[in-house]
Amino acid sequence: MNGSSTIATVRTSTMRTPAAIMKHVESFHFRCFLLTKPFSSFPSSLPIDPEPPDHELPLLLHSILSKPNWQKHPSLPKLLPSISPSHVHSLFSLNPYLLPQTALDFSSWISQKPTFKHSVYSYSALLNILVAYKFFGPADKIRLAMIKSSASIHESRFVFELLMEMNKNEQLHSCFKLSLRSYNFLLMSLSKFLMIDEMKSVYSEMLNDRVSPNIFTWNTMVNGYCKIGNVVEAQRYVTKIVQAGLNPDTFTYTSLILGHCRNKDVDSAFRIFRMMPSKGCRRNEVSYTNLMHGLCEAERVNEAIKLFEAMGEDFCYPTVRTYTVIIFGLCETGRKSEGIKLFEEMSQKGCEPNAHTYTVIIDSLCKDNKVDEAREMVGRMLEKGLVPSVVTYNALIDGYCKHGAMEAALEVLGMMESNNCFPNERTYNELIAGFCKKNVHKAMAFLDKMLELKLVPNVVTYNSLIHGQCKMGQLDNAFRLLEMMKKNGLVPDQWTFSVLIDSLCKVDRIEEARNLFDSLKEKSLKANEVIYTALIDGYCKVGKIEDANYLLDRMINQGCLPNSCTYNAIIDGLCNMKNMKEALSMVKKMAGMGVKPTVDTYTILIKWMLKEGDFDHAHGTLDQLISSGCQPDVLTYTAFIHAYCGLGRLKEAEDMMIRMKEEGVFPDSLTYTLLLDAYGCFGLMHSAFDVLKCMFDAGCEPSHHTYSILFKYLLKDRRTKDDSPAVNLVSNGMLFDHTDVWKSMEFDTALELFEKMRQHGCVPNANTYGKLIIGLCKVGRFVVVQKLFDHMRDQGISPGEDAYNSLLNCFCELGMYDDAMIVVDLMIKSSQLPYLDSYRQLICGLYDQGDKEKVDTLFANLLRCGYSSDEVAWKILIDGLLKKGLADRCSELLSIMEKMGCQLHPNTYSLLIEGIDGA
């Protein structure tokens, strides 16, 4: 019974909610250590174990240790694989009266097992027991072992606080004060994690203790300050070395080289490096490597390579870190092939790359758009028994996210978690930025995941989410995120406001954008060129050129230099106003301000010259563009193709298409679609489908406009059965009303398209069906859409998220809520997220029909899909129910969220309470 009671007591005392645990830890006051009783208190910085131990195991271990010859106990071999440092910490801390020799013997025994490694917490609990029983000799060794085992800033701070409190205890001080060796190792541990303030405290304590520093002490202080680039403070401790009658050594000078490099003063670092031999100090591999690193950081890679080649003169040989520094410098300065060549040569010269070296190569490959090669490099790492770090995985995740390959990015996330490598803030920031390009709901869900893992979102996190919400047209959500970040103590920066101002301008909310711009001054935030340009572009888009010019003058007067984007916005605005003379004058003004016209500048002018039919000047401007050192881009060539197609000059359009491909410029969907439309106008449907085949072969996805143009001509052929082309039939495919085509289209027209596509080697795929479904849903043709969905399934093709969301929105718009619920179920089963706007419409519609039970079921299922709780509350409860005056319904759904454990931000709760009370 006693055993059961003890186990129950242990369970009860430790089974608290995380919030309760944290509250307990934060409020705990560290009590003085007493020799008469064991220590049971720890500093407030002691973190909660991420995986609390099985509390029966420490009890079992205590039972075994209480027996003589415990080493031979039959249960130990079975228990050994399960014993972790957390268990040992619990064993010692829960049994403070354990005999000290037994505790020492067990600690020594378990340390010899290859699968076990003590933590600072297990050592601290053992130290507790040894000091309580006055085992000061062994306690000193355990104290040193504890200092050396600090593996993170949190652990190092825990050890620092523990030892400082012990050292201040009067009863302990006379018999167990910190020795010179302990002080030095503690300083080293703190220096490793750049804990400079704590180092100063330890040094002061050392002097108060009348423990005389030695050169090791001063060198550690010099090194600590040099790591943060504070050479002035480091020099004070060099002076102390000299005042003590000692000479600075290789370590001292090597630290100073590091300090100057961190301070971006590589020339001073070079002076120290050259001076070392005259001071009788041998330059070692670290001296060389520190200086090479500084040179590479300053993009003086050739000088670093000369040093690398000269190492042998000092009988030094490159270490793995030396190679890594040079490889990093080469890759960062665009000399990636040289970096990879050196990487391959390392092993041949007997220096095997480590995880950091591989990470540099992986990051470089990802930045060079070679993500698959980077993934293979991770495989090589693992084959060699190297463990990728969070930095390695982050480089790969970032590469996939920048390519929009979010499934692959999630695979890497799963790989790192399965390898016990824990994602950090940067991991989630990269995933959030990636999902913001495709599905902001998933990005918001990762914000919730960050908070769940106790990771702290920063300004970068919120800026990505604000940008994502703005791209989706969800400006209300963007401003809610702005308030949320301010509530969390984060200060929005220039990027935050540039996105918001630009987005307001894009939806013609110019006055709101201007008010936000004018509010920057009271926020002590200075508008930069991006913010000015966003507002100037907004004014130009609505024809307010005078306001744009006023802002341009104000921008210059306030010392904010306009860039090419600023001038291009005004030039485009002037062209839209058909004021080509002023536009050309602005180009001259731009050049006069030292801003070189870009390809965009020339393309704007070319586009409007072509629109006016002035082909001679347009070609002259193209020649000017090329002679200026710029290269025409896809927009430049497309402007010409658009103009030629619009006039039926197909040969010239074709020649321009050939020219752009020869120049290595790839046509986009618009370019292909314009040419396809022109062929269709002349009844050259075979050529039109050849263009479609080129799109497929180039991996360029046709848009629903592309398909609507093909349908236009298929329908025309059906009606007229006339193949003779006529110039007056030529039209601009970008200007005709696409809705008329989708309204006229029947299912058999789609089958005809599919057949013609197959004849030309274009097999209809998920994108084809998806684009047709999107076009048809826009005009409510759900009967045809249903047939297309069935046909898709018959072909073994799964609908994409965009197609499903279009159908869901269509059903909601038509009030077909039962059908909408079927689509929601299909999406959830396919692990796809319906847009919350559609959910809002569906829930509000079901309430209007009096289907409360359906709403409750639907809403509960929604909450299990991984949406951000805040975003659900914003879109459905606030923008949906409260705006419709359904406060009671809002309260009911809020209760469901609370019962299901959804955590809402205080700002969101405030908005809900205000809305409910106001209603």
Side-chain angles (χ1 to χ4, degrees), residues 268-283:
S268 294
F270 236 133
R271 281 195 293 273
I272 299 281
F273 180 80
R274 292 193 188 102
M275 181 182 71
M276 285 177 72
S278 66
K279 297 290 183 180
C281 287
R282 176 183 173 271
R283 296 184 293 221

Side-chain angles (χ1 to χ4, degrees), residues 153-357:
I153 189 169
H154 303 292
E155 292 183 2
S156 192
R157 182 171 287 116
F158 166 72
V159 171
F160 160 73
E161 292 181 0
L162 175 65
L163 295 185
M164 288 299 96
E165 286 294 335
M166 290 180 75
N167 213 49
K168 287 173 184 173
N169 183 275
E170 292 180 5
Q171 295 182 52
L172 277 179
H173 193 266
S174 58
C175 48
F176 193 59
K177 72 176 185 179
L178 285 165
S179 63
L180 174 61
R181 193 166 181 229
S182 296
Y183 271 119
N184 283 343
F185 274 103
L186 181 56
L187 285 171
M188 274 187 69
S189 173
L190 296 169
S191 173
K192 182 179 177 182
F193 300 107
L194 307 181
M195 299 169 70
I196 307 302
D197 289 339
E198 289 82 356
M199 287 180 71
K200 284 168 66 178
S201 297
V202 170
Y203 187 79
S204 297
E205 183 78 9
M206 189 177 183
L207 298 181
N208 292 338
D209 243 358
R210 293 187 172 83
V211 176
S212 297
N214 60 10
I215 192 165
F216 189 94
T217 317
W218 288 313
N219 269 343
T220 305
M221 295 301 293
V222 170
N223 187 250
Y225 279 107
C226 284
K227 281 179 178 176
I228 61 169
N230 190 344
V231 184
V232 173
E233 197 65 27
Q235 202 67 52
R236 287 183 60 238
Y237 290 93
V238 177
T239 303
K240 292 180 189 296
I241 293 173
V242 176
Q243 288 172 346
L246 301 169
N247 293 319
D249 59 14
T250 296
F251 186 92
T252 320
Y253 289 117
T254 298
S255 293
L256 290 171
I257 289 169
L258 173 68
H260 285 302
C261 288
R262 290 277 165 92
N263 213 21
K264 302 189 185 307
D265 184 3
V266 186
D267 292 331
S268 294
F270 236 133
R271 281 195 293 273
I272 299 281
F273 180 80
R274 292 193 188 102
M275 181 182 71
M276 285 177 72
S278 66
K279 297 290 183 180
C281 287
R282 176 183 173 271
R283 296 184 293 221
N284 63 15
E285 286 81 1
V286 182
S287 316
Y288 273 96
T289 304
N290 283 352
L291 184 52
M292 286 179 213
H293 195 195
L295 288 165
C296 288
E297 289 278 311
E299 297 187 2
R300 292 161 62 175
V301 180
N302 287 336
E303 293 174 73
I305 291 171
K306 284 181 182 176
L307 266 185
F308 178 80
E309 292 168 347
M311 288 181 77
E313 295 173 10
D314 277 326
F315 302 101
C316 293
Y317 301 94
T319 63
V320 65
R321 182 169 178 267
T322 317
Y323 274 107
T324 303
V325 162
I326 297 294
I327 290 166
F328 174 79
L330 288 167
C331 290
E332 284 295 296
T333 52
R335 297 162 66 176
K336 294 176 182 177
S337 58
E338 293 175 69
I340 291 171
K341 184 182 177 185
L342 187 60
F343 172 79
E344 299 296 347
E345 287 175 1
M346 283 180 70
S347 299
Q348 297 167 16
K349 295 188 177 179
C351 186
E352 289 295 330
N354 63 12
H356 188 199
T357 322

Side-chain angles (χ1 to χ4, degrees), residues 313-575:
E313 295 173 10
D314 277 326
F315 302 101
C316 293
Y317 301 94
T319 63
V320 65
R321 182 169 178 267
T322 317
Y323 274 107
T324 303
V325 162
I326 297 294
I327 290 166
F328 174 79
L330 288 167
C331 290
E332 284 295 296
T333 52
R335 297 162 66 176
K336 294 176 182 177
S337 58
E338 293 175 69
I340 291 171
K341 184 182 177 185
L342 187 60
F343 172 79
E344 299 296 347
E345 287 175 1
M346 283 180 70
S347 299
Q348 297 167 16
K349 295 188 177 179
C351 186
E352 289 295 330
N354 63 12
H356 188 199
T357 322
Y358 273 99
T359 300
V360 169
I361 294 293
I362 288 163
D363 184 52
S364 176
L365 288 168
C366 288
K367 286 176 179 173
D368 213 22
N369 300 328
K370 296 177 179 176
V371 190
D372 292 335
E373 289 180 43
R375 182 78 173 261
E376 288 173 14
M377 196 62 76
V378 173
R380 277 177 62 179
M381 277 185 80
L382 295 168
E383 285 171 12
K384 289 183 176 289
L386 296 172
V387 180
S389 68
V390 66
V391 180
T392 319
Y393 286 116
N394 283 352
L396 197 53
I397 286 172
D398 188 46
Y400 279 124
C401 288
K402 282 186 167 63
H403 278 77
M406 300 313 299
E407 290 302 318
L410 291 177
E411 281 178 23
V412 177
L413 178 66
M415 188 198 308
M416 76 187 285
E417 289 174 338
S418 66
N419 289 332
N420 293 318
C421 181
F422 299 103
N424 60 14
E425 284 86 355
R426 183 165 180 176
T427 318
Y428 281 99
N429 279 348
E430 287 163 356
L431 288 165
I432 285 169
F435 274 115
C436 279
K437 296 172 189 173
K438 290 202 165 191
N439 190 324
V440 75
H441 296 329
K442 289 180 181 176
M444 289 291 297
F446 273 107
L447 174 64
D448 279 14
K449 185 68 175 174
M450 280 185 83
L451 298 170
E452 183 186 317
L453 293 174
K454 302 291 186 284
L455 296 173
V456 182
N458 55 23
V459 173
V460 174
T461 319
Y462 283 104
N463 280 352
S464 293
L465 289 166
I466 287 169
H467 190 216
Q469 293 285 1
C470 287
K471 277 182 71 179
M472 288 280 291
Q474 304 288 347
L475 264 69
D476 287 347
N477 283 357
F479 279 99
R480 286 160 180 158
L481 281 165
L482 177 69
E483 292 307 311
M484 187 185 284
M485 72 186 289
K486 288 194 285 190
K487 184 77 173 179
N488 289 349
L490 296 170
V491 180
D493 60 12
Q494 292 168 320
W495 171 249
T496 320
F497 288 104
S498 68
V499 169
L500 291 167
I501 289 168
D502 184 54
S503 300
L504 287 167
C505 289
K506 278 184 167 61
V507 292
D508 294 339
R509 291 163 64 176
I510 306 295
E511 289 310 310
E512 291 174 69
R514 182 58 188 258
N515 291 338
L516 190 58
F517 174 87
D518 290 338
S519 74
L520 295 181
K521 190 174 181 180
E522 65 193 45
K523 295 178 174 70
S524 301
L525 199 63
K526 190 176 181 181
N528 62 8
E529 70 276 11
V530 180
I531 295 174
Y532 271 111
T533 300
L535 190 54
I536 286 169
D537 186 54
Y539 277 127
C540 289
K541 288 284 191 293
V542 294
K544 294 187 175 183
I545 303 297
E546 288 183 8
D547 291 302
N549 278 320
Y550 168 78
L551 266 183
L552 178 65
D553 292 339
R554 175 176 162 180
M555 180 181 183
I556 295 167
N557 291 336
Q558 292 193 353
C560 182
L561 296 179
N563 59 23
S564 59
C565 295
T566 320
Y567 286 108
N568 288 344
I570 296 177
I571 292 164
D572 189 46
L574 289 166
C575 287

Side-chain angles (χ1 to χ4, degrees), residues 775-837:
L776 290 162
C777 284
K778 285 179 183 291
V779 294
R781 298 295 307 283
F782 67 89
V783 175
V784 182
V785 169
Q786 185 60 59
K787 289 179 180 178
L788 276 173
F789 264 98
D790 293 340
H791 195 265
M792 254 184 117
R793 282 194 290 269
D794 292 342
Q795 300 298 312
I797 301 172
S798 300
E801 201 163 68
D802 288 342
Y804 267 130
N805 272 310
S806 292
L807 182 59
L808 176 59
N809 181 64
C810 176
F811 283 141
C812 289
E813 290 285 346
L814 296 171
M816 300 170 65
Y817 301 122
D818 288 338
D819 294 285
M821 288 185 72
I822 293 170
V823 175
V824 168
D825 287 340
L826 287 170
M827 290 188 75
I828 291 171
K829 285 173 184 174
S830 304
S831 301
Q832 296 176 344
L833 287 183
Y835 290 146
L836 287 175
D837 278 328

